[in-house]
């Protein structure tokens, strides 16, 4: 198969060797984070776990911060559509249910990545970019239900308490947490 004449030199082919290498490396990052947290994550450990030569890992990612940042970038690249239940409360509740599921699954790669972002400036920047993307994508749930409301304020009012309870307080049983804080967010819409 001939290379794409429109692609710039050195561009990765979707599904090609570069994509496979990235998938192997990011799978290794996730496994190491889940097994041992940030302290278990080294470029050498990722190379060994992924089966990708350490020179390739160092050349492409340089350090653990770049590995973590690429993990967030890969998560951001995954398709996600905000729910459309027919009501703001329903949409916010569904978003919160997705957050609860991500933070309470065992083991939780979401929780491990968030924890690691406190130890790496590159990962912290990538996490901010991830959330900015999610806020922009989810804004539609507020815009269609409450056109005058500030989407970011409503989304933070609905979602931030869920993260606070589950990621920071480590509440053992979320119970009705998704709907309870969705009501707070819906009230913030006015």
């Amino acid at each position: 198969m001939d290379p794409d004449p429109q692609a710039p030199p050195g561009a990765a082919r979707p599904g090609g060797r570069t994509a496979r290498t990235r998938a192997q490396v990011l799978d290794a990052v996730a496994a190491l984070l889940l097994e041992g947290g940030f302290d278990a994550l080294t470029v050498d450990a990722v190379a060994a776990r992924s089966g990708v030569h350490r020179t390739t890992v160092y050349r492409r990612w340089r350090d653990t911060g770049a590995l973590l940042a690429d993990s967030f970038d890969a998560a951001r690249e995954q398709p996600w559509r905000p729910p459309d239940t027919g009501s703001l409360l329903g949409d916010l509740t569904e978003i919160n249910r997705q957050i609860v599921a991500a933070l309470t699954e065992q083991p939780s790669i979401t929780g491990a990545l968030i924890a690691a972002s406190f130890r790496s400036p590159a990962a912290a920047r990538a996490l901010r970019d991830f959330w900015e993307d999610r806020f922009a994508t989810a804004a539609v749930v507020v815009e269609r239900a409450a056109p005058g409301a500030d989407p970011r304020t409503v989304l933070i009012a609905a979602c931030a308490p869920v993260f606070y309870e589950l990621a920071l307080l480590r509440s053992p049983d979320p119970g009705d947490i998704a709907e309870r804080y969705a009501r707070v967010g819906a009230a913030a819409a006015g």
Side-chain angles (χ1 to χ4, degrees), residues 104-173:
T104 59
E105 73 181 345
Q106 291 300 318
S108 173
I109 188 58
T110 302
L113 281 167
I114 290 169
S117 75
F118 286 97
R119 307 265 308 268
S120 164
R125 282 188 302 276
L127 179 60
R128 277 192 300 278
D129 291 344
F130 174 86
W131 286 122
E132 290 303 324
D133 181 68
R134 283 297 195 259
F135 283 131
T137 303
V140 67
V141 304
V142 178
E143 292 164 350
R144 67 181 168 227
D150 176 45
R152 186 181 182 93
T153 299
V154 172
L155 291 165
I156 289 175
C159 302
V162 175
F163 280 99
Y164 184 82
E165 285 213 24
L166 297 179
L168 298 178
L169 293 180
R170 298 182 184 222
S171 297
D173 179 19

Side-chain angles (χ1 to χ4, degrees), residues 9-28:
R13 296 180 313 272
R17 184 176 17 167
T18 300
R20 285 190 305 273
T21 298
R22 183 182 189 216
Q24 288 173 258
V25 166
L26 295 182
D27 286 348

Side-chain angles (χ1 to χ4, degrees), residues 58-146:
Y58 275 106
R59 183 176 58 244
R60 170 115 191 242
W61 287 276
R62 298 176 317 280
D63 58 25
T64 56
L67 288 163
L68 289 165
D70 197 25
S71 295
F72 283 114
D73 289 345
R76 194 170 72 195
E77 293 163 6
Q78 295 299 311
W80 179 79
R81 290 178 168 256
D84 187 357
T85 65
S87 74
L88 178 60
L89 178 60
D91 292 349
L92 293 174
T93 300
E94 182 54 33
I95 289 170
N96 279 351
R97 284 185 181 137
Q98 293 173 17
I99 294 167
V100 168
L103 290 173
T104 59
E105 73 181 345
Q106 291 300 318
S108 173
I109 188 58
T110 302
L113 281 167
I114 290 169
S117 75
F118 286 97
R119 307 265 308 268
S120 164
R125 282 188 302 276
L127 179 60
R128 277 192 300 278
D129 291 344
F130 174 86
W131 286 122
E132 290 303 324
D133 181 68
R134 283 297 195 259
F135 283 131
T137 303
V140 67
V141 304
V142 178
E143 292 164 350
R144 67 181 168 227

Side-chain angles (χ1 to χ4, degrees), residues 28-50:
V29 169
L32 289 164
L33 276 175
L34 290 172
E35 290 170 9
F38 182 82
D39 292 331
L41 189 65
T42 66
V43 174
D44 286 341
V46 169
R49 183 64 163 268
S50 68

